[in-house]
Structure formats: C-alpha cells, structure tokens
Amino acid sequence: MIKFRGIVWSVHPLFVIVMLLSAAAGRFAELITLFVLVFVHELGHVVAARSFGWVIREVKLLPFGGVAETEEAGGMPTREEAIVAIAGPMQNVWMAALAWGIGKFGIGDPAWANELVEANMLIALFNLIPIHPLDGGKLLQCLLGRLMPYHHAMAWTIRISITLSVLIGAAALVQQLWPGGGIQLNLLTIALFLLATNWMQRRHMPFLFIRFLMNRERYARKRMDRGASAAPIVVRPEAALHSVLKDFRRDAVHLVYVTTARGELLGILPENELLHGFFASANPNRPVVELII
C-alpha cells in the first residue's frame, strides 16, 4: 500500500494471487508487463477524474484494471463519469498503437510487440464488458442514468452485471465439454470475483443510495451552475418520502408537485426540502404531505 499525492494505491488480493502464480511459473516479464499496463490504465482514470476536480481516496489495482474510490460517488454528472470510465481503456489503445508501431518499424522485437498489442487490447475490451465494477459497467450505469432515476439505474446495472457474471462463469466451465478442452480457471476466477462483487453491491444498495442522496445535496449548487435540467415529479399526498427520493434523476433538479387524486395541487416542494425532511426524520416512510403541513 502506497500513498501518493493524497491517493492510497493498493493491490487487490486477486492481483496478489495472480502475481504469486506468475512468479511460481517463472513468468516475471509477463508479470511486470501486466502490472505496468494495469497501472497506466488506472492512471488514465485518475488523471481524468482529477481534471474534473474529483477527490480520489484510494485506487485498488486488479489484474484487469482497478477500482477507484471517490468522494463524489453518484454526485457528479453522468457525462463526467463516462469520460472518466473511458479514460482507462483509452490508455490501452495508445499503448497498443505504440507497440504495433515498434513491431511494424523494427524498433523492437516483433514477437514482444505483438504480445503487448494483444495484452492491451484484451485489457481494454474486457474492461468494456458491461459488468460492474468494470469500465463497461460504469458506462452502462451512466447510460441507464440518462433514461431512468438513479436508484433504478443502479438496480438494473447490478442485475445485468450478475447475469453476465454467471454467463462468463458458465462459459469457463463449458469448455471442458469440448474435445481437448478444460475448465478455464482464470476466467472462472474472474467470473466468481465479479459475481461476488455485484452480490455485495446488491446488498449494499441502501447504503449506496443514501450516499447518493448525501452527495446530491452537497453538489446541488454545482448542478444548478452547470444548467442541470428541471424535472418535475408528481406524487400523491400519501406517497412515502423514501419512495419519492427513489425517483430522483442524477442530472436533474427536481420540483415535487403534491396533488390529490382529482389533480388538486396541495403544494410544491423543492428537492432540498425532501432531503432535509428525510435526513432529519427517524421515519423514512413518512407521507410526503407532512412536509407541506
């Protein structure tokens, strides 16, 4: 674990296992190459995030990339998160292009250059699979966040991630059914890791949603300064406060219209009043109409 410029850099236990297996097999060159590629990949995320003023607490390196923990989780625009997510694979693209040029013009060993191209493209393409916490999973949540409320986008991202993780694990196991085939242990290990990560993400959804709400109030002024779109929410008086908050969209500023079944307007609540009412109350299921009376 190393702390540099306020960011804690650490190696995930899964990467440690890969490194130990590589060392035991005497594949030191491949190990060092993988570490450098993953580090540069993750550095791309860090530089992009810092350019938007994000505060990054920790970066954990994985065999196929890394996971960055930020204070802005869910609080920043989907556009910024999408750029930060794609910044990692883009590092592998330019490194692959550089390696191809080295091999093409005879600057280095063509065989080594070709392996470097393949490694970079494998890391880039794998990271673009729409599974959390891969970059593709983050892009998927950004896309869903443009189409539906944040809570729904998060829930669907986890569902899709779990489904795809199971399919990858099944693909690793089915290899043994083919002549000369066998279980792909590396792929199976990664699939199990992704499945476990998303299963934990599913269990932690209430906490993650609370963090989103806390960051939403914290960055409300920034959203308004960026010209976030206004999105009205129409609810009935008996609607639970917590359920109304689940309709909040990431890139919008909300006004909540409380109406009767006949369409009579009882009141209009800005989103910050709902947030204050939620965090100040011991009952998250209190009717939203209580904030008007």
Side-chain angles (χ1 to χ4, degrees), residues 90-125:
M90 290 304 297
Q91 308 312 305
N92 297 113
V93 171
W94 74 256
M95 286 190 290
L98 178 62
W100 177 85
I102 290 175
K104 180 69 174 180
F105 299 104
I107 301 175
D109 181 10
W112 173 81
N114 185 60
E115 290 179 359
L116 199 56
V117 171
E118 292 180 355
N120 272 293
M121 296 313 298
L122 180 61
I123 292 175
L125 293 175

Side-chain angles (χ1 to χ4, degrees), residues 19 30 36 45 72 83 92 110 150 227 234 241 278 283 287 293:
M19 289 191 292
E30 292 86 346
V36 171
H45 292 308
E72 290 78 11
I83 292 174
N92 297 113
Y150 179 81
V234 181
L241 179 56
F278 175 75
N283 179 20
I293 299 175

Side-chain angles (χ1 to χ4, degrees), residues 213 216-217 220-221 223-224 230-233 235 241 244-245 248 252-258 265-278 288 291-292:
L213 295 177
R216 184 175 186 84
E217 189 171 16
R221 177 56 58 184
R223 287 203 317 278
M224 295 178 67
I233 299 176
V235 300
L241 179 56
V244 177
L245 294 177
F248 277 20
V253 176
H254 293 293
L255 287 176
V256 179
Y257 292 76
V258 183
L265 181 64
L266 299 180
I268 303 175
L269 296 169
E271 64 173 60
N272 64 306
E273 288 193 21
L274 274 80
L275 291 169
H276 290 160
F278 175 75
V288 67
L291 300 180
I292 299 175

